[in-house]
């Protein structure tokens, strides 16, 4: 689970289109992010997905599914300090495991959508592969399949949400920066609103599968309590995981199910 990256008040956006492209090199991604920011595009409207951001470092060993489950490596500042990339300037940075593709880094609105607490439908489709998740987010299936194939091969996806009258300009910018397979969605990525989790069934499958029923209820109760006080999803998320770790231990399958509470 990860925060959506939104502030206490919903982010104001005029985005009406999502322009996306595939890039072959990490340096191209770094360059295009900086060019977009220089052009005045909000960092909250830039998304990136890729596998090989950590290929030149020695920390790949702990970029695991467990790191996601434990709420680690999600903040852009931490990510940036580890990887030295413009990716660290974006919001909603996290890692996740997607079948057929492997461990991915996802940043921006798409990272929030794929990893968010209230995005069970998206998380479920990600379980069937990245193409299914992209299709759920509005990309045509044939294009989504191409994107999955390219990302699986080590390429990167960059998506930019912009007003309709800016989509052509951004398309040209992506192409001039080396972008391929450019696609324009008629709508921006879904922004999942801030709010409390109604019950454990609303947790994403990725989160729910690593908590016992008692741990799920504890997580939801503490998430909602902290969110009501602070209005900060990221703070609520970390608080909920802290309480789970305080009161439960993992069993042999990695599920937080063994209660530490004594009678």
């Amino acid at each position: 689970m990860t925060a959506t990256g939104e502030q206490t008040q919903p982010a104001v956006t005029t985005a009406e289109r999502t322009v996306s492209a595939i890039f072959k090199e990490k340096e191209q991604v770094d360059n295009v992010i900086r060019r977009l920011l220089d052009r005045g595009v909000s960092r909250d409207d830039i998304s990136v997905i890729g596998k090989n951001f950590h290929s030149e470092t020695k920390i790949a060993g702990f970029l695991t599914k467990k790191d996601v489950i434990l709420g680690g490596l999600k903040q852009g500042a931490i990510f940036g300090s580890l990887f030295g990339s413009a990716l660290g300037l974006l919001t909603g940075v996290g890692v996740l495991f997607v079948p057929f593709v492997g461990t991915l880094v996802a940043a921006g609105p798409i990272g929030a959508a794929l990893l968010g607490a209230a995005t069970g439908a998206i998380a479920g489709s990600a379980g069937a592969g990245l193409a299914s998740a992209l299709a759920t987010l509005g990309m045509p299936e044939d294009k989504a399949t191409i994107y999955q194939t390219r990302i699986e091969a080590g390429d990167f996806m960059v998506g930019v949400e912009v007003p309709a009258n800016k989509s052509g300009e951004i398309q040209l910018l992506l192409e001039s920066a080396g972008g391929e397979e450019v696609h324009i969605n008629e709508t921006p990525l879904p922004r999942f609103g801030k709010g409390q989790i109604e019950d454990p069934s609303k947790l994403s499958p990725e989160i729910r599968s690593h908590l016992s029923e008692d741990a799920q209820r504890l997580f939801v109760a503490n998430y909602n309590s902290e969110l009501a006080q602070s209005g900060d999803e990221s703070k609520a998320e970390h608080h909920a995981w802290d309480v789970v770790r305080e009161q439960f231990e993992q069993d042999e399958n990695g599920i937080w199910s063994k209660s530490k509470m004594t009678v």
Side-chain angles (χ1 to χ4, degrees):
M1 168 184 175
T2 189
T4 62
E6 295 173 343
Q7 302 300 316
T8 303
Q9 296 298 322
V12 176
T13 179
T14 59
E16 301 170 11
R17 300 285 188 274
T18 301
V19 186
S20 58
I22 293 291
F23 291 86
K24 292 182 178 180
E25 305 293 338
K26 181 167 68 70
E27 291 74 17
Q28 291 176 312
V29 174
D30 193 88
N31 175 57
V32 77
I33 290 173
R34 295 186 186 280
R35 287 179 62 181
L36 289 165
L37 293 173
D38 289 343
R39 189 69 64 93
V41 176
S42 170
R43 68 193 187 101
D44 294 325
D45 293 331
I46 303 172
S47 294
V48 178
I49 295 179
K51 292 178 62 175
N52 294 333
F53 289 102
H54 52 82
S55 61
E56 299 175 1
T57 74
K58 296 181 180 179
I59 68 172
F62 65 84
L63 270 179
T64 66
K65 188 175 182 179
K66 182 180 289 188
D67 291 313
V68 180
I69 299 303
L70 297 182
L73 294 180
K74 294 192 193 70
Q75 300 303 317
I78 297 173
F79 192 92
S81 68
L82 290 173
F83 296 95
S85 168
L87 198 70
L89 301 174
L90 305 183
T91 60
V93 180
V95 293
L96 74 163
F97 179 83
V98 176
F100 314 113
V101 180
T103 301
L104 294 179
V105 173
I110 198 165
L114 291 172
L115 293 166
T119 58
I122 302 298
S125 63
L130 182 61
S132 295
L134 293 176
T136 301
L137 293 169
M139 183 176 288
E141 291 185 7
D142 57 344
K143 182 65 73 172
T145 299
I146 293 173
Y147 272 48
Q148 171 169 312
T149 300
R150 295 288 299 267
I151 293 169
E152 185 177 0
D155 294 345
F156 306 89
M157 170 187 167
V158 174
V160 189
E161 298 173 276
V162 294
N165 63 357
K166 296 287 186 179
S167 58
E169 171 188 335
I170 296 303
Q171 177 180 349
L172 290 174
L173 187 154
L174 296 182
E175 290 174 341
S176 69
E180 303 174 1
E181 297 292 345
V182 177
H183 175 73
I184 300 178
N185 267 3
E186 293 301 309
T187 58
L189 291 166
R191 301 297 180 111
F192 297 94
K194 186 181 297 296
Q196 298 202 342
I197 303 172
E198 294 178 10
D199 58 68
S201 69
K202 302 301 182 181
L203 290 169
S204 71
E206 183 78 350
I207 298 302
R208 198 166 60 248
S209 65
H210 283 74
L211 298 173
S212 68
E213 291 186 0
D214 287 342
Q216 289 176 30
R217 287 191 286 269
L218 181 70
F219 185 101
V220 169
N222 283 276
Y223 179 92
N224 288 341
S225 175
E226 179 60 37
L227 184 63
Q229 293 183 48
S230 67
D232 186 325
E233 287 184 329
S234 179
K235 185 175 181 180
E237 169 199 348
H238 287 287
H239 172 70
W241 276 117
D242 285 343
V243 175
V244 167
R245 285 193 290 265
E246 288 174 0
Q247 298 191 22
F248 287 88
E249 294 179 349
Q250 289 178 293
D251 62 20
E252 60 276 10
N253 296 314
I255 297 174
W256 294 85
S257 62
K258 296 181 177 180
S259 177
K260 295 181 180 179
M261 303 296 291
T262 56
V263 178

